[in-house]
Structures are given as structure tokens and as C-alpha cells.
Amino acid sequence: MSIEVVRLDPAREQLAYAFGGREPLLTVLPGTVVELTTEDCFGGAVRTVDDLPSQVCAFPYLNPVTGPIAVEGAEPGDAVAVHFADIRPVRDWAVSSTFPHFGALTATHTTAMLHDALPERVWLYEVDVPGGVCRFQARGSEFEVELPLDPMHGTVGVAPAAGEVLMSISPGAHGGNMDTPELRAGTTAYFPVNVPGAMISIGDGHCRQGEGEVCGTAVEAAMSTVVVVDLIKGAAPAWPRLESADHLMSTGSARPLEDAFRISQHDLVGWTASLLGLDALDAYQLVSQAGLAPAGNVVDTTYTMLAKLPKSILGHATAYDGIHSHLRGIAERYLAER
Amino acid sequence: MSIEVVRLDPAREQLAYAFGGREPLLTVLPGTVVELTTEDCFGGAVRTVDDLPSQVCAFPYLNPVTGPIAVEGAEPGDAVAVHFADIRPVRDWAVSSTFPHFGALTATHTTAMLHDALPERVWLYEVDVPGGVCRFQARGSEFEVELPLDPMHGTVGVAPAAGEVLMSISPGAHGGNMDTPELRAGTTAYFPVNVPGAMISIGDGHCRQGEGEVCGTAVEAAMSTVVVVDLIKGAAPAWPRLESADHLMSTGSARPLEDAFRISQHDLVGWTASLLGLDALDAYQLVSQAGLAPAGNVVDTTYTMLAKLPKSILGHATAYDGIHSHLRGIAERYLAER
Amino acid sequence: MSIEVVRLDPAREQLAYAFGGREPLLTVLPGTVVELTTEDCFGGAVRTVDDLPSQVCAFPYLNPVTGPIAVEGAEPGDAVAVHFADIRPVRDWAVSSTFPHFGALTATHTTAMLHDALPERVWLYEVDVPGGVCRFQARGSEFEVELPLDPMHGTVGVAPAAGEVLMSISPGAHGGNMDTPELRAGTTAYFPVNVPGAMISIGDGHCRQGEGEVCGTAVEAAMSTVVVVDLIKGAAPAWPRLESADHLMSTGSARPLEDAFRISQHDLVGWTASLLGLDALDAYQLVSQAGLAPAGNVVDTTYTMLAKLPKSILGHATAYDGIHSHLRGIAERYLAER
Amino acid sequence: MSIEVVRLDPAREQLAYAFGGREPLLTVLPGTVVELTTEDCFGGAVRTVDDLPSQVCAFPYLNPVTGPIAVEGAEPGDAVAVHFADIRPVRDWAVSSTFPHFGALTATHTTAMLHDALPERVWLYEVDVPGGVCRFQARGSEFEVELPLDPMHGTVGVAPAAGEVLMSISPGAHGGNMDTPELRAGTTAYFPVNVPGAMISIGDGHCRQGEGEVCGTAVEAAMSTVVVVDLIKGAAPAWPRLESADHLMSTGSARPLEDAFRISQHDLVGWTASLLGLDALDAYQLVSQAGLAPAGNVVDTTYTMLAKLPKSILGHATAYDGIHSHLRGIAERYLAER
């Protein structure tokens, strides 16, 4: 069977800054491989350490996303699967920065305080894709260190429910700016479909990111990315779920952070119960002993936590009839043939 | 140089249920190896699935700790280091349970709601120390699965500041019931000294625990544990810190969970800055891209988050002049000679 | 000078369920009196104690609002003022209810837990407008009590910034479902203008409401309401502000609740500083000693707190050049002539 | 019947800085009037605007309390009632201040951030007891304003449960530093008894305080205070409750602030249900429509919210068999005879 491959290279004026309320740039059949490009969260406007984001970027034109991509046949109540086949930095540099009143260790517009903003500072990273590293250079001293590349997308999701249109920097039940390093190549993300076609958008590529994205930005980069998109009829999860080679993951995005934790754990307990035929209390117990709970972001309009379960304890059970392996197979064939 | 080894096997009536306000059971010199035993969080009273904790345990006699151990020469402003050399389940069984109005996915006395408590249920685990596994058996169906042993202590800390006496189930700046799986053999924990002698206590052994300890209890077990205790003059951290072979870790315990996150990240930023000679913003940036942020507990009186930094990026810098390696060396000699 | 009076009685199919993304139903000049009607939060579908909201209402068709009303000349950066001249229940009954997984003392989709939903129950109130009371009748016993009428609107606001479209049940910087009893007749609300025309919508009338709206709904009623709408060029507040005969009030809507508190207090400190010519620390001190801090709602998608300052301490200073008194004057003339 | 009156004027070295772990300074029979004096939260060390608290006060010697007062016959499971008969500033001045990393609109040790502390500033208030006012003088400009005196105690409580010893600045289920303006003369506070004698302590007098105590301190003053102490066998509330002439009030102290809200509302729902013979849902509904929800403090180690119900809706029902009226009667007789 041949693989359907389509390409999406949006022009600058086609970039979107929200989830919902947009016409699709592309419509694909389930099972299609989509090669796409994404601009960085600054719209490419921060190119030197002197390009302060608050000066060169204009709210709300931040965090552009590529899409939406409509999936044929997707109806509310279904799930769409987005498998990340490949995520590759486009340039040999990337940037990060602090931003006034944004981040986890600063007063913000929500955690409002009488402090002046922390200084705005930009870091330029050299990106060595063949070498698999990016280079951090301190601004206030001579320190340098290489960090492993671990490319990912901070933002991926679908049109929200209830006709809402949400800024691309907001994570929620529709996905969006979850900012978890788990969204790397090899991972499949599952989203609930809220509108016909689902309307998938992707952006905010990171060469790498720590858990929590503490200062508010990652190693931000334009990306050349390949995803395989699929449809699972009638299987809408309440919140985005992820699957990697080794783990099932539920996400929750909310404030306070314990509510993001609760949402993600509650979803994972229910998912585990249904996969293993357990009652809720037994699944609660099993997740309590076997699960992991890393932070996604603790800086955006809502915070994101993940609940992770090793697939090793699932025995023969597979999520969504093994669609992750199926999509991984397509991705590997595509990559081999490319 | 010979290793000083002492033993602490408290009688049942010697167990403590608080940090602070207790006379030491033992006083040791810095560098001493302490072999000790700890009872499980239920005081050993839950031995079958019919022993409901709310019936067989009596508040506040929960979560007994072994100690305090006074360290000679420890004064306020110093740090004590507790290196976990070995943690070994004593029995061939362990228990876990739900507990009325306790846990992350239930109404509690703090997150007060009009719901009745979730059902109280006990799980009995078979523990196979040589095989390195414990066996989960579902109560509501036939499902069973083996989980790897990963023994740890949920509770370790010192007497609090300001003369406070805090229940052993409360984590805080003095340590206490942080309930992080990182407190396994091979890890060194650093605590601020608040009273002469520091007054270290240890308890709440877990055969293993998921991050967050979602249902409120882990695979609870009495332990035979070996620690190496040391003193670092004038080096009191603001909050407990951990060091493993691969990572530096700062902890924060607070509510809401984002404050626990903030405390831990703030401490790690400061620690990183001081180790690498960075200013605060550069350290903020580096931690943002290189750090991990797993949950400890999201069920206790305060919640615990960890901020983890790979030691690989530290170059030649070492925390506390390499005391972790030094204590690990003592532990390995002890274990080899035992 | 004659008063411009216009009327807005939307048909059922004209009701909106969101802020943003709608064409105006009406465009008015600054200074216009608008007589309008609003349906209750259930769209009028709950009329007996047997009409359970989860059965007779269909998400997302909840909390209908009347509007938007465009204000001529309103541009981003301006403020619009909405003075409530009169709020009058239309029917001789009103309803309240619990709703599955909604409210402050129940597990919700955000504060996710393993509990089943609390029972859904409807209360029907007799409303006696001339007598100024509504009658609570217990469902589980014979108890009855009259409560004073104190009509208000839970929901009032403008189109959000950044092109967002938000469900009418969500409060935020654009106003929306703040659910504070302070939104009664005699109060002026000030909103930032985010889009040309501001696009004011109003709904969710309550015969009365406790602070916090603990169970999730108030004494819900269709209303016949009169507002006076005005424009203040270049005076956009960061968050909605209210002014009554006796108090200035800043609002904040966020989670956790302390962030809603911080936003409201931060805004009130800044407002006080500017009105009295104080520096930020002096205003912080004065608000700390003289301010009030009641809850608005602690049940919606974000929570609302108010920061209130008695106008008695302002001396001759007036907010927005005394526009509140001006609008109150128009309202009184209108009411006298009606 | 004669009134038993005793006096408690602790020497400086008798002041306590914690709840729990102290021997009583005084033991009284139920029904006794106690005349006592309290020092201000700075121990009287801040007397001019140049006395910066961080320099003239030494942690943990902050927020001294007078007591403990043992109540004869008080046993765990009972309630003690503390009726405030009179609260009178001792001096003709009072002070307030910011304090580094303390307050609601600043980074703190818990809400940890990279900001430097806000400036530390002291305000000196003239106190005119006969005139009923205190005078605020701005530091950064010429502004002055008189504020009404409304004397209260920020701190009152009993020894905590479980043998804990808690700093006097921490509010909780034992009372402590709740910092609500409702603790004025005319109010009765009810506390659970956790240890024999209950061990009541009182301090932290405020000439007045805004709700939330935003900057972290109120108009701090030494007080001459009269309380009537009583015992209610077997009636321990879960959390401190207050009763004034017009309102029943439940308190909750926790973080995040919504948990303090939940605790207080949950308690008030239960209290209302038991007083009026309602089931929980009916009481939930009634409190939702009739209750008030002001902030106590949003600055201390835990935050305090109040849930208030007008006694007018209680009909003939009275809390604790009318003990508030009884104690008010004793207070009035005492004051008349004084």
C-alpha cells in the first residue's frame, strides 16, 4: 500500500495565532503523511541577542501555528491521532528569552505583584543537527555548554468545543500550548474532535525544553516536521492523550497546578481501568504505584501536567487497537523511503 | 580508615510521630554509618486486606519515624547530609490502601466537599526481594502484575525551625514526608540544621511509589536501612536538596502545587548559579532548558515538587565539595564488608 | 437635554452564548439608555423542580446573553461604562439548582476526582417583586424562609482581546460571568475596549446571590433591565472595575483564587495611587487597612474576587471625572420619567 | 450572680510565640472574665518609621501571644468559647509596615521568585481612642486620612491537635493567626479542644485591618482586652467558628485560597443543616443564596476565608443553645460595672 504524502508550507500571512474559528489550509484523508513547516514562537523576529521580544513582536501575533488541517470524516465524538514522525530544526540557530511578566519565577499579569518585571534577555543557541546538540552561551559570564537536541512541538491541538476561539498560547482540553517535551518524534497525540474536520494546528517547535519551561520559553526554532494523521471513530478522550514506544500519557491543563495533576491522573486511571478491565479503585492503586508525573508547562495561561504509565504493565492490552504502532509503521516506511 | 557503624532498632514505644520536640535516641559523629529499622506507615497494623487503616490505626499514631539521631557538632546554619546506602524490605509482604478523605482524587478535609468518602480498600503485595519485584493483585478482578522493587523512604528530615513540632506526615523546609521516589539507595539528602544536633528521623519505607503518590499511600513496608550521616558546616540550604549519581535535585513543599514547583526551581536556579558561576538569569535559562520537574507527593498536608538537573552539564563543578561521592564511597565499602 | 432611550428584546434565536465573534444586535451612541431583557441561565427551560438542567439544557447553550451592543466610537484602549439603572425580575418565580460536577463543594471536570456527581436538585423560588422578597423552600424538609430580593446580573462584559471567543460562563479581563452581587442597580461597571464598538453583552440575572455562588447557581431569573452606556476615551482598565455610591471596586478573575485576589488588589492599589497621588507602597498600605475583599464566584471556569475601597477616604478625588455620578443622574431622570 | 474576673499581664519573657507545647499562665473556670494585655506583632520594637522590622525584630520572636489560658474541665472533643468583650489600644500610636518577602503582592519564600524584595517601609499611625480614629500618613507624599478605629485581634486560638507546636503566625484548625476583622469586640469565637485545658492564647491586636491584610500587616497595636471564656462539652467544631450579633461565621485556613473557601463553606453548610434541620443539599442551596464570603488573610503561612450567614434567617434556632447571648450578657454586665 502506498503512503499518501501531502505538504503544507504556509505563507507568513497564512499563519494562525489561535485554535478555532479558522478555515482549513489543507484537508486530508485519515492515514495521510503531512510534511509541514512551522515558524518559531517569535515569528522568526528574534534573530540576535539584541532583538528583545517585547520590542520586535506584537501581541497577539505570538506563537504562530501551521494549520488548521481538516481530517475528512472527523466528527464531534471522534478522536484524531497525530503521530510525530520527524521534527527537524530548519536553521542552525535557535533562541530563547525571558519576557516581561511571563514565566514561573516572576510576577505575571495573573500572579499580580508590585515588582517591576525581571530583565528581558535573549539567548542565541547554535544548533548542530548532525551533531545532535545545541550550545548554550551564558550572557553574564563566559560559561558555555552543549545540550542534547531533543526536538519537540510545544503546541499542537484541534479547534476547541463550544465554538470557542482560544489564543495559541493557551493549553486546554483541545490541546494547544501544552509545552511538554514528550511531544517529540515517535509520539502519537490523541485529541477529541469538537468540530467537523477536527482542525489540527501545530507550532512552537523547540530544539529542547526542560520540564516546566520555567523561564517561559524553550530553545525556540522553526521546524520541518512530518506527522501522520489518523481518525478513530467514536473514541474522543476528555483530554489530550499521548503514546510513545514505552508509555501511555494523559494530560491535564488547568490552574492551580494540582488541578492539572488531578485531571491527568483521573484520565489515566480511567484509561488504565478500561484497558486492563479493572475497577476504578484498582486502577487508582496501580497508577499510584507505577505512574510518573512530570510537569509540562508552569508558565502559560493554564499549566500542564502529565500522568505516565509504562506500557510494560499492560500485557497484551493496547490503546486504540494498536493505532500507535500502525502509525509508527507508516512513519518508518515514509522515513526509509524519503 | 575504619568505618564507624552503629545500630538503631527502636522499640515500638520509642517510635516518634513528629519532627521536633524529641530527645535523640542516638548521637553520632559525622561520617558514621547507621543501620536502622523502620516500621511501615500503618505501624505494622495493616496485615490483611480486611485490616482497614481507619479502624486499626489511631490518629495521630500514623507514619512512625525512627529517630531522632543527633549529629555531634551540628548547629543552626549547618547542613547535614544523609546518604542512603541501602534500603531493604524486612517482610515478604507490603500493603497499600485508600484512606477516607485522603488522596489526590478525592475530597479531603482541606479540599472540603459534600461527597462521602471513597471506599476504603487494602491491597496486599507479595514482596520478592531476591527477584526484585512486588506483585500487585487487583481486588475487583483477577488481574495481577509484577512491578519492579525500587525501595525508598517517604519520610526523612530534621527538627523544624522556630521550635515547631510537626506531624511526621507533613513535609516542609525541614524535610519530612516528601514522598519522592528519588529517596532511594544511592541518593544523598541535604537538610538545613535548625537545632543543635539536627535531629534526623527516617520512616515511611516504600517498596516502590509512583510520582505523586496519587491514592495517598505507596507499597508500604517496614525497612532495614543503612545511612551514612555527615555534617557540612555553614552550608544550610533553604530547602532539602538531593543528589544522586546523575542529578542534583532541589525540593519544595507547599500548596498550591505551583508554589512547590516555584520553591524547587528557585532553589535549583540559585544552586546552579553558584556552582557554575552564572548570574541568576543565565542559571534560570539553563535550568529552563535542561531541568526535569517530577511530582513528589500531591496528597500530603503540603505537596512536594522536585527540580532536577543532570550533573553532566556541571563540568568539573561538584556540590558541597564532592561529599556525595565521598559518602557513596563509604557506603560501598560498608556494603562490601558487610 | 433629552435622554436617548433604545430597546433590545432579542428573539430566542438571537441570544448569544459567548463573548466575541458576534455582530452587534444594536449600536448606540455614548450616553444612551438601553432597556433590555435577558433570559435566565437555563434559557428558561427549568420551570419546575422536575426539570433537571442536565436533561433540559444542552451544552453549550447555557447562560445566554443579550447583545452585543456596539458603542459608537469605542476603540481599543478606551473604556466603556455600563451603569445599571434598574434590574427587575420578569416572572413571579425563579430557579436554582445543583448541576453534576459543577459547584464549589463538589468534584468538577477541573478538580477531577473519582466521586460520582452529587445529586442534581432544583429549587423553585416564589418571587414577590413588590414585597421585595423571594421564598426559599427546602426540598428535603418543610423549612421555608423569605430572602430579600437583591437583583443583579452575573454576566456582563465585552468582546475579549486577541480575537478570542469565550463561552459566556467564563469570566476574565473582558468581564463575563463574574457572578458578583455587586452588579446590582446603582453600580457602574467599567470595561476595557478590545475591539471597535466594545460589544457589550449582558445576561444571567439573579434575584439574589450569596458571595461565592457556592452551589454553582443563584436565584436565576429572566430580567427586565435598564443600563446607561457610556464611553471614556483612552481609559481602558486592565480588568473590569465597578463603582457604587459608596465604593470603588476592582475585579480579578483567575485560578487559583489567590491570583484572583492578587489581580483585584493590584488593580485597586494602582487605582488608589493614581486617584490620590500616592506612590505604590503608600497605596498598598492604605488599601491594606481600608479595603474589603469579598468573593465573587468560586465555581466558574475562573474564580472572581473583588477589592473594594470606601469612597469616603478619597476626599475630592473621583474616578473617571465623576462619570458614575453623571450616569446615575441620567438613570434617575430616566426612572423618574418612565 | 457575681462575675469572676481575673487578670493576665504577662511579663515580656512570658510571651509565647507558638500554639502548643506551653504550660498555662493562668487556669480559669468556665464563665470567667479575663482582663489581659497583648503586645503588638513586632513585640513593641517598631516605634518610629526608622525601626525596620527586619532589623529590630528577630525571627522567630514575632507575633507574641498572651497565654496559654487553661479552661478547667476542657477535654478533647469539647469546644471552648472566647467572647471578646472589649479590645482597646493601649498606646496613642500604632504601626504598620511592609516586610521583605511577606505580603500578598510580593514574591515570598513560598511563592518564590527571582525578584528582589519590595522596599521595607514603616507607617506610624496616630491613634485617637476617644475620637474613634487612627490617622494614616503617606510616606511618599503629603496625603493624610483618618480611618475609623475597629479594634480586633489577628491571633486567637488553642493548642493544636496531634501534639503539634505551631508558630503563632500560622492559622489552622486550632485558630491562630486568622487575621479577620470579624474578631472584634462583640464576637464569640468557638474552638475545638485538642488538649486538656484547651490552652487559649491571644495576640496580634489591630486598630483596624482591611480584609486580606494585603501588605502583610495591619495597624498593629498593643491592646488591653477583655474576654469571657466558656466551655461547651462535646461540641468541638472541626474549624474555628465565630458568632456576632448578626452573623454565624465558619472559618477555613488553607492554601490555595479556594481550599480555605471550601473549608469555610463546607462547615457553614453543615452548621446550617444542623441548626435548621435541613439536609446537606438544602443547606448548600440556602448558604449559596444567603451567605457572604470575605477574605481573612491572604498573606500568612495559610490563607483564611470566612463563610457568613445572617442570623435573621435562622428563626428561633440558636447556635450552641444561645451561649453567644449569654456571654454577651456577662460582657455587658462586666463593662457596666467596670
Side-chain angles (χ1 to χ4, degrees), chain C residues 96-98 102-106 111 118-121 123 125 136-141 143 145-147 208-219 255-258 261-263 265-266 269 276-279 281-295 298-299 303 305 312-314, chain D residues 96-98 102-106 111 118-121 123 125 136-141 143 145-147 208-219 255-258 261-263 265-266 269 276-279 281-295 298-299 303 305 312-314:
Chain C
S96 190
S97 78
T98 52
F102 189 68
L105 299 183
T106 171
T111 307
L118 294 177
E120 190 172 4
R121 186 185 280 186
W123 291 264
Y125 285 77
F136 167 75
Q137 292 178 273
R139 294 290 311 279
S141 63
F143 181 82
V145 68
E146 285 183 345
L147 303 175
R208 66 169 291 114
Q209 182 207 303
E211 291 170 353
E213 206 187 14
V214 194
C215 81
T217 59
V219 183
R255 294 191 181 194
L257 190 59
E258 56 263 42
F261 175 86
R262 286 176 178 128
I263 292 167
Q265 297 287 333
H266 181 269
V269 166
L276 295 179
L278 300 176
D279 68 23
L281 282 183
D282 280 339
Y284 189 28
Q285 171 63 206
L286 184 55
V287 166
S288 296
Q289 310 315 341
L292 299 174
V298 194
V299 294
Y303 305 144
M305 288 292 290
S312 58
I313 66 171
L314 293 180
Chain D
S96 190
S97 79
T98 52
F102 188 67
L105 299 184
T106 171
T111 306
L118 295 178
E120 190 172 4
R121 186 185 279 186
W123 290 264
Y125 286 76
F136 167 75
Q137 295 178 272
R139 295 288 313 278
S141 63
F143 182 81
V145 68
E146 285 184 345
L147 302 175
R208 66 170 289 112
Q209 181 207 306
E211 291 170 353
E213 205 186 14
V214 193
C215 81
T217 58
V219 184
R255 292 191 183 196
L257 190 58
E258 56 261 44
F261 176 85
R262 286 176 178 128
I263 292 168
Q265 296 287 335
H266 181 270
V269 166
L276 295 180
L278 300 177
D279 68 23
L281 282 183
D282 280 338
Y284 189 28
Q285 170 64 209
L286 185 55
V287 167
S288 295
Q289 310 316 339
L292 300 174
V298 192
V299 294
Y303 304 143
M305 289 291 292
S312 58
I313 67 170
L314 293 180

Side-chain angles (χ1 to χ4, degrees), chain D residues 28-119:
Chain D
V28 301
L29 286 168
T32 302
V33 170
V34 183
E35 302 170 337
L36 55 88
T37 53
T38 62
E39 193 36 281
D40 70 30
C41 73
F42 303 114
V46 179
R47 306 177 79 91
T48 77
V49 296
D50 297 320
D51 296 328
L52 298 186
S54 69
Q55 295 177 3
V56 300
C57 300
F59 177 83
Y61 301 105
L62 287 168
N63 205 37
V65 287
T66 293
I69 302 167
V71 182
E72 281 202 18
E75 294 294 331
D78 298 340
V80 285
V82 180
H83 178 78
F84 286 87
D86 194 35
I87 306 173
R88 189 175 300 259
V90 167
R91 301 170 182 138
D92 61 0
W93 55 270
V95 287
S96 190
S97 79
T98 52
F99 193 87
H101 291 126
F102 188 67
L105 299 184
T106 171
T108 67
H109 297 292
T110 305
T111 306
M113 296 179 169
L114 295 174
H115 298 283
D116 291 334
L118 295 178

Side-chain angles (χ1 to χ4, degrees), chain A residues 256-277:
Chain A
L257 190 58
E258 55 262 44
D259 275 359
F261 175 86
R262 286 175 178 128
I263 291 167
S264 63
Q265 297 287 334
H266 181 269
D267 187 77
L268 186 60
V269 166
W271 197 6
T272 302
S274 95
L275 286 172
L276 295 179

Side-chain angles (χ1 to χ4, degrees), chain A residues 96 105 121 123 125 138-140 208 210-211 214-215 217-218 257-258 262 265 279 282 284-285 288-289 291 293 295, chain B residues 96 104-105 121 123 125 138-140 208 210-211 214-215 217-218 257-258 265 279 282 284-285 288-289 291 293 295:
Chain A
S96 190
L105 299 184
R121 186 185 281 187
W123 291 264
Y125 285 77
R139 295 289 311 279
R208 65 170 292 114
E211 291 170 352
V214 192
C215 80
T217 58
L257 190 58
E258 55 262 44
R262 286 175 178 128
Q265 297 287 334
D279 67 24
D282 281 338
Y284 190 28
Q285 171 64 209
S288 295
Q289 310 316 340
Chain B
S96 189
L105 298 184
R121 187 186 278 185
W123 290 264
Y125 285 76
R139 295 289 312 279
R208 66 171 290 114
E211 291 170 354
V214 194
C215 81
T217 58
L257 189 58
E258 55 262 43
Q265 297 287 334
D279 67 23
D282 280 340
Y284 190 27
Q285 171 64 208
S288 296
Q289 310 317 340

